[in-house]
Each structure stands twice: as structure tokens, then as C-alpha cells.
């Protein structure tokens, strides 16, 4: 048996005589199968350009039930970007219709930008001044700034818009640049604006006016503005008087050592709303001036100079109706256009302005000034401020509010004011704005 097994092994180890004997070996059988036609490797296969598939088809991506449409690039609208730009949110208010921005009205200014730059670039402070408008909420600071800026333009503001209340969208409101300020009708931040304004002698100054918020919650804006200016202008409501925030800003202005000027705004409310007589109106204005002097004296321990209209640091205004004056400017009007009121031409502007305030009475017969009405020969002589300042203003208001069109036109021509038919037939506010 051992011989048989050894012989079988030797037979198995012998090489085959022909190729037919290798069919029993699996490895050899695989080689035999591979002798047929060879298949190309997909990676190394040669594919024509028109047969190449770079991206899957729409049916492969979305399925056969989805209907797709392909547009050519040339058919796309070039005005619409493929990727929309990122929109940045801003809190700047868009300018309403009828209100023009300073940049858009640069060509309408009475001066060139180069002249403003030359004056502003002066190293000394002889022609440069900076002051801020401070006061209580809704005392008319923003509209008073609009009144000052209107004098620098060749064209006046839209009379109908400028004479409207702030709640009705009136006034250009240059200083209210934020959307929240225009929506709330109140200033929230301090806004500076630089302009060129002349003094009473005609000399030009570069004034940087800072409109400060009047709400007590934004008192820090006023504090920061007072550190950067040369003086403070306190705007006071003629009816409301001294309020909480007025005391706060006045005390801080005194602590900074800034000169203070008082502007009694909304004097028209004494005439229209309270319907005070000219004499009572004078006493009301006198009380406001004395109350402000008392507040300044308490804050400065009596070391601050007093303010008074005859000293030139008190002005009377109605920013809504577009007028503002001091005693000196009113005296210039009388001396330039001398009327039949008994005023002589032997007085200077300063002397006449001093006699327009306080216990000063002008006797029409002797044409002399007295300190009491009993010293005058004529009876019923009123103070010069009542007779020569308040009475003309009262007559203009009475004519614009109650007289007929012909009488108003006749009165306006006497004072040198020419109004058109549209202005004469407009509302009372618009007529007062145009006349005053």
C-alpha cells in the first residue's frame, strides 16, 4: 500500500503533457478564463468629449416626477445681481418732502464753502464761536436753530411747513437726524451745525451751534456739549418758565464758568393763548428775567453777572412764527425808519436800547424820557417797552388773526412788508410767518 501511495504522488507531481490537464487546478482555471477578450478599466477608459458627463442630470437629482427648466445665461437680467448685497441698517432718518439737507442746499447758502473753511481754519478765536442751546423739553431749541439757519439761506423755508407744530411734522428740524427723534418729536443726542452769521455791526462769525436734548434722561449729552463750547444759550418757554431740567443745565453751565445768554421763546403764546395785555406781558417777561437771575445767583453764590435785556444778553423770540429780536435790534429799526412816535435822532442805538427796558417812560409832548409816568406831562404814558416794542407786535398779530385781507395788506405795506395773494389767503399761522 505504501508503494501505491508513493506512485500516486509521483504521478501527481509529474508535469502535464498538454494544456488540457490544467483544467482541474483553480488557479490555472482562472488563467484559462482570462484568455478571452479583455474588458477596459473604467478609470483608464477613453471617453469622447461629447460623451462626457460632468454633472448628474436633473432626473437623477430630483427624480423623474419633477419637471425642470434650464435658462441660458444670456437670458438672465443683468440689472439683478446673482448675490444680493448685504443691506446695512441705519437709524438715520430719511429727509421728508419739503425739507432740504445742508449738503443738498450748499449752493443756496449766502456764502461759499471755501469762505467758511477759511474762517473756520483761523487759529485764533476772534471769528470762531461755539455755543449750545440748552433748556427744558419742548422749549423750542430745535426750531430756534432752524430760525438761525434760515438766515444763511437765499430762499426761506416752506412757510406752511415751518409754521406748523412739531407734532404735525412742521419745520425742517435740521438737528433731528435720527428716525427716533423725528418719530418722537424730541432731540435725543446733541447735534452740532456750523454756519456763518453776522453780528449787529455786520461782522461775520463762524458759529458752531449745538442743539442739546431737553429731556432729563439725556442730561449727559448736555454735559458733554457744555465742555466743548464757549457759551450757553438758555432757551426758556415764555409760558412754562423755569422747569426742572432748566435748573440742572443752568447750574452746570455756571459750574463750567460759561457766559449765559437767555432767549425767551414762544412769546406768541402770551399773545394768542393767554391773551395777556401788553402791560401784563411785560410783567410776565420781567418775572422770567428776574427768576433766571435768581437761579444764576444761587448757583454762583452771587459771583455771576446778571442778565438783562438792556445789557444785550436777553432776546425775545417766537421760533414758530419766525422772529427774534433784542432791544438793540429793535432800536436800530426805529433809528433807521424814524416814525412819528416822538423819537428823536439825537440818540445812539445803545442809548435807545437801554431806555427800552425797565422804568423808562417817553413823554410824547416834551420828547424826553422819565423814570415814572407821573413825571410826564401827558397822561396814560406806558413804559417804552410796552409802547414801542409790544404794541407794534400786538397790532400785527391782531391784524393777521382778525382783520380783513385789504386791511392786513394796507398795514403790512406801512411797515414795508409786501405779501402775495396766496400768502394773504393762507392760514393764520402761515400769514404770521410770512408777515413777521
Amino acid at each position: 500500500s505504501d508503494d501505491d501511495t508513493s506512485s500516486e504522488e509521483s504521478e501527481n507531481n509529474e508535469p502535464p503533457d498538454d494544456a488540457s490537464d490544467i483544467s482541474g487546478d483553480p488557479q490555472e482555471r482562472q488563467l484559462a478564463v482570462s484568455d478571452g477578450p479583455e474588458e477596459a478599466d473604467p478609470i483608464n477608459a477613453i471617453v469622447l468629449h461629447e460623451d462626457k458627463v460632468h454633472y448628474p442630470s436633473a432626473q437623477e437629482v430630483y427624480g423623474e416626477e419633477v419637471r425642470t427648466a434650464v435658462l441660458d445665461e444670456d437670458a438672465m437680467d443683468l440689472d439683478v445681481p446673482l448675490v444680493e448685497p448685504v443691506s446695512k441698517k441705519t437709524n438715520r432718518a430719511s429727509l421728508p418732502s419739503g425739507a432740504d439737507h445742508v449738503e443738498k442746499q450748499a449752493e443756496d447758502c449766502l456764502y461759499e464753502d471755501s469762505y467758511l473753511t477759511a474762517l473756520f481754519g483761523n487759529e485764533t478765536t476772534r471769528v470762531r464761536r461755539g455755543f449750545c442751546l440748552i433748556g427744558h423739553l419742548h422749549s423750542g431749541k430745535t426750531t430756534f436753530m432752524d430760525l438761525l439757519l434760515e438766515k444763511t439761506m437765499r430762499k426761506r423755508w416752506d412757510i406752511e411747513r415751518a409754521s406748523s407744530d412739531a407734532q404735525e411734522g412742521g419745520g425742517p428740524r435740521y438737528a433731528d437726524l435720527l428716525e427716533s427723534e423725528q418719530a418722537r418729536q424730541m432731540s435725543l443726542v446733541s447735534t452740532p451745525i456750523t454756519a456763518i452769521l453776522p453780528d449787529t455791526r455786520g461782522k461775520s462769525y463762524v458759529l458752531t451751534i449745538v442743539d442739546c436734548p431737553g429731556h432729563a434722561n439725556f442730561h449727559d449729552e448736555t454735559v458733554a456739549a457744555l465742555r466743548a463750547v464757549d457759551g450757553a444759550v438758555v432757551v426758556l418757554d415764555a409760558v412754562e418758565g423755569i422747569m426742572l431740567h432748566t435748573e440742572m443745565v443752568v447750574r452746570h453751565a455756571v459750574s463750567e464758568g460759561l457766559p449765559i445768554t437767555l432767549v425767551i421763546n414762544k412769546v406768541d403764546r402770551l399773545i394768542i393763548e393767554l391773551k395777556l395785555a401788553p402791560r401784563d406781558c411785560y410783567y410776565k417777561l420781567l418775572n422770567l428775567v428776574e427768576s433766571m437771575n435768581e437761579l444764576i445767583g444761587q448757583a454762583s453764590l452771587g459771583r455771576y453777572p446778571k442778565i438783562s435785556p438792556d445789557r444785550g444778553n436777553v432776546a425775545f423770540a417766537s421760533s414758530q412764527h419766525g422772529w427774534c429780536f433784542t432791544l438793540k435790534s429793535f432800536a436800530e429799526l426805529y433809528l433807521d425808519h424814524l416814525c412819528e412816535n416822538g423819537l428823536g435822532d439825537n440818540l445812539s442805538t445803545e442809548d435807545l436800547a437801554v431806555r427800552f427796558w425797565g422804568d423808562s417812560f417817553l413823554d410824547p409832548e416834551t420828547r424826553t424820557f422819565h423814570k415814572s409816568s407821573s413825571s410826564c406831562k401827558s397822561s396814560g404814558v406806558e413804559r417804552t417797552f410796552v409802547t414801542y416794542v409790544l404794541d407794534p407786535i400786538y397790532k400785527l398779530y391782531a391784524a393777521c388773526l382778525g382783520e380783513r385781507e385789504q386791511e392786513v395788506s394796507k398795514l403790512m405795506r406801512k411797515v414795508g412788508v409786501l405779501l402775495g395773494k396766496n400768502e394773504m389767503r393762507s392760514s393764520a399761522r402761515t400769514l404770521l410767518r410770512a408777515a413777521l
Side-chain angles (χ1 to χ4, degrees), residues 334-336 338-339 342-349 352 367:
Y334 275 104
L335 294 181
D336 293 341
L338 201 59
C339 29
L343 290 177
D345 54 356
N346 57 348
L347 288 176
S348 63
T349 304
L352 183 58
R367 303 178 65 179

Side-chain angles (χ1 to χ4, degrees), residues 16 177 323:
L177 301 178
W323 56 269

Side-chain angles (χ1 to χ4, degrees), residues 150-215:
E150 186 180 5
K151 304 304 179 183
T152 64
M153 301 294 177
R154 292 190 177 94
K155 299 180 180 179
R156 299 184 63 180
W157 306 133
D158 184 9
I159 298 179
E160 184 175 358
R161 182 181 180 85
S163 60
S164 302
D165 290 333
Q167 290 76 10
E168 301 174 0
R173 301 183 66 85
Y174 259 53
D176 290 347
L177 301 178
L178 304 180
E179 292 181 354
S180 56
E181 289 181 329
Q182 292 191 359
R184 298 171 183 267
Q185 300 298 334
M186 59 181 293
S187 300
L188 303 179
V189 296
S190 296
T191 305
I193 295 179
T194 301
I196 297 179
L197 289 172
D199 60 359
T200 55
R201 296 173 296 176
K203 184 179 180 180
S204 299
Y205 286 88
V206 179
L207 301 179
T208 301
I209 312 170
V210 184
D211 181 23
C212 300
H215 201 282

Side-chain angles (χ1 to χ4, degrees), residues 278-279 282 330 334 339-343 355-358 360-364 369 373 376 379-395:
R279 180 188 298 180
Y282 166 76
F330 229 95
Y334 275 104
C339 29
E340 314 129 0
N341 291 327
L343 290 177
R355 289 171 172 81
F356 270 168
W357 185 256
S360 179
F361 301 84
L362 178 61
D363 191 354
F369 290 94
S373 60
C376 300
S379 61
V381 179
E382 294 286 347
R383 289 178 171 84
T384 53
F385 184 80
V386 177
T387 304
Y388 297 102
V389 178
L390 293 181
D391 280 347
I393 297 176
Y394 269 75
K395 290 180 180 179

